[in-house]
Amino acid sequence: MASDTKKLKLYSYWRSSCSFRVRIALNLKGLKYDYIPVNLLKGEQSHPEFLKLNPVGFVPVLLDGDLVLADSLAIIMYLDDKYPQHPLLPSDIHKRAINFQATHIVSSSIQPLQNISFLNYIGEKVGPDEKLPWVQSVLRKGFTALEKLLKDHTGRYATGDEIFLADVFLAPQLHAAFTRFNIPMNEFPIMSRLHETYNATPAFQEALPQNQPDAVH
């Protein structure tokens, strides 16, 4: 993308599900941004220059002028407040609560337990052969909860026929589960159907890991 000092800047890694969420939100809102790759496998997230932006050393980081934001949920909520086109939260208070609940199952109960640093720790302390079974157990527990939560709320998307926050968080997690961590799609029919719907939706397609400039094929 062409450089533009006024344009949003996103520090991202192609396979990061947290970065994937923000890319979806940016696409849904039609926002242009500069993509700045951070190679997690090479440890670039621990370089002093990056730690100045996010002392925790995680992607994504969003720059909007002088404002520096880290954490995908904080970034997405900021974008939703600043750019009202395609709101990511429904006006209905009950549907909003379901969106928050689904979002937090992904962001608190699933994703942190399968990120690179956690899996590396398991590999070192327990053994590399235990990493995949661990991730699969985490995913199955989380997806079982999500299937129960969403069974009376889904339409075309997670909480009806419009794309909301829950979808933004679900799509990257489903992609990782079904393409990287070998979860059989038929185990979770609601999750499987949503995954297929997201893959057919342009804003999600453009945000897919393999479509990013730093993707490794």
Side-chain angles (χ1 to χ4, degrees), residues 149-162:
L149 173 67
L150 298 176
K151 65 182 177 65
D152 295 326
H153 301 282
T154 55
R156 176 168 171 76
Y157 299 102
T159 58
D161 292 327
E162 296 178 80

Side-chain angles (χ1 to χ4, degrees), residues 62-213:
L62 183 79
L63 271 59
D64 185 6
D66 295 330
L67 178 67
V68 180
L69 281 174
D71 183 86
S72 62
L73 182 57
I75 292 169
I76 291 167
M77 290 293 88
Y78 169 77
L79 293 173
D80 207 37
D81 286 339
K82 183 170 182 179
Y83 303 99
Q85 65 270 28
H86 196 122
L88 296 175
L89 286 172
S91 57
D92 179 85
I93 189 170
H94 297 110
K95 187 177 289 189
R96 184 181 290 235
I98 297 300
N99 270 270
F100 279 129
Q101 191 172 345
T103 293
H104 283 286
I105 289 174
V106 172
S107 65
S108 299
S109 301
I110 301 178
Q111 191 277 329
L113 299 177
Q114 51 118 86
N115 67 17
I116 290 175
S117 59
F118 197 95
L119 292 183
N120 286 342
Y121 183 84
I122 289 177
E124 292 169 7
K125 298 297 182 180
V126 183
D129 292 341
E130 295 303 314
K131 292 197 288 187
L132 182 59
W134 166 259
V135 174
Q136 290 177 333
S137 70
V138 169
L139 289 167
R140 286 190 167 99
K141 182 176 182 181
F143 286 177
T144 297
L146 285 163
E147 291 262 329
K148 291 178 180 178
L149 173 67
L150 298 176
K151 65 182 177 65
D152 295 326
H153 301 282
T154 55
R156 176 168 171 76
Y157 299 102
T159 58
D161 292 327
E162 296 178 80
I163 298 170
F164 288 121
L165 188 67
D167 302 293
V168 173
F169 276 71
L170 279 168
Q173 194 62 67
L174 296 177
H175 182 270
F178 297 140
T179 64
R180 290 176 57 193
F181 298 125
N182 302 326
I183 296 293
M185 294 177 67
N186 60 6
E187 287 187 22
F188 301 100
I190 296 174
M191 298 297 101
S192 177
R193 183 181 61 75
L194 289 173
H195 177 61
E196 292 175 355
T197 300
Y198 299 146
N199 282 345
T201 304
F204 293 84
Q205 291 174 338
E206 293 167 12
L208 283 166
Q210 61 267 30
N211 294 330
Q212 305 317 303

